[in-house]
Amino acid sequence: MAQYRAVYRNHPVYQYNTQSNIQIQPEDMQPLEFPKMKLSNMELRKLAMEIITKKAKKPLREVNNLKLAMKLNNVYVMSDYIFLDVSFENKTNLSYDIEGIKYSIEDKKIYKATNNQSIELKPVYQLHKPTHFKKSFRNIYIFKKFTYPNSKVMKIRLLEEQLSGRTIEMKIKYSDILNADTF
């Protein structure tokens, strides 16, 4: 990439001094290294809105427990970001007060005599920050790029406030992330 400032002057004095061919020597050249693309919160919001306006197709994963449902609608990848399109459904008449949504990478199988490792993940951006929902709720969670081996799974847990037993947990295989769509 080169940048020049060329000035043409229609003046008799400068008419014969104009060079039309300029040679740049290798010692005057300098390579450019661009940093990895980092998106701003406004750009992440715009991309998340683009995803959420799409109609949710058949989910990649679905879990039902205690008249609650959690669906992984799709996984998208752009640059160094992973977008998870997740929806929740409450099939009861009692509204759901959200204490938090936890994300972690854990071992697939935990044996009695072994230690297990759980790595907590935090999204860099989420489209909505709800405190409760009545019937259904859909959100986009954006993470910085991460990888994990096939012996582990990503878990999403939806936790309710108070002493509730209405929690739901979904396991996401690494193959779901590797097969992510782009947009």
Side-chain angles (χ1 to χ4, degrees):
M1 178 159 128
Q3 184 175 356
Y4 301 99
R5 181 172 181 243
V7 178
Y8 173 75
R9 298 183 183 183
N10 194 8
H11 193 276
V13 175
Y14 299 112
Q15 201 170 27
Y16 300 105
N17 295 340
T18 307
Q19 288 183 329
S20 61
N21 191 4
I22 300 172
Q23 195 100 43
I24 299 175
Q25 301 302 320
E27 59 269 6
D28 295 330
M29 294 182 189
Q30 187 175 5
L32 290 177
E33 293 183 22
F34 294 103
K36 291 187 176 179
M37 189 168 79
K38 186 175 180 186
L39 299 174
S40 69
N41 279 352
M42 280 184 52
E43 291 169 319
L44 292 174
R45 178 174 173 72
K46 181 179 164 246
L47 293 169
M49 288 299 289
E50 188 178 319
I51 292 170
I52 209 160
T53 55
K54 293 180 183 179
K55 187 172 169 49
K57 299 181 271 184
K58 183 178 182 248
L60 298 174
R61 300 244 172 258
E62 184 172 3
V63 177
N64 294 298
N65 187 19
L66 299 170
K67 294 195 172 188
L68 286 173
M70 182 187 304
K71 297 176 185 176
L72 177 64
N73 299 318
N74 211 341
V75 179
Y76 297 93
V77 173
M78 180 179 204
S79 177
D80 282 347
Y81 293 95
I82 298 171
F83 296 75
L84 297 180
D85 180 1
V86 181
S87 57
F88 306 96
E89 288 181 20
N90 180 9
K91 297 172 186 161
T92 67
N93 292 327
L94 189 61
S95 69
Y96 194 93
D97 296 321
I98 299 172
E99 180 181 323
I101 302 173
K102 305 284 184 187
Y103 313 91
S104 61
I105 295 177
E106 298 180 6
D107 294 326
K108 271 186 187 177
K109 294 181 182 175
I110 300 172
Y111 301 102
K112 290 181 183 177
T114 59
N115 292 337
N116 68 325
Q117 184 180 20
S118 177
I119 301 166
E120 189 172 335
L121 297 172
K122 295 219 184 268
V124 292
Y125 186 82
Q126 66 182 25
L127 186 59
H128 305 293
K129 294 182 171 106
T131 56
H132 69 281
F133 65 97
K134 180 79 173 158
K135 289 294 179 189
S136 66
F137 169 64
R138 184 176 173 201
N139 206 356
I140 309 297
Y141 301 96
I142 305 171
F143 296 88
K144 282 293 250 181
K145 181 182 83 172
F146 59 87
T147 59
Y148 54 93
N150 281 335
S151 63
K152 298 190 182 284
V153 291
M154 179 182 180
K155 286 188 179 179
I156 301 175
R157 288 184 197 90
L158 178 66
L159 307 169
E160 189 175 28
E161 287 181 354
Q162 305 158 3
L163 298 172
S164 173
R166 293 194 309 169
T167 62
I168 190 165
E169 178 180 290
M170 176 188 287
K171 295 178 181 179
I172 300 173
K173 293 182 179 177
Y174 190 47
S175 61
D176 293 334
I177 293 175
L178 290 177
N179 296 326
D181 290 339
T182 58
F183 61 97

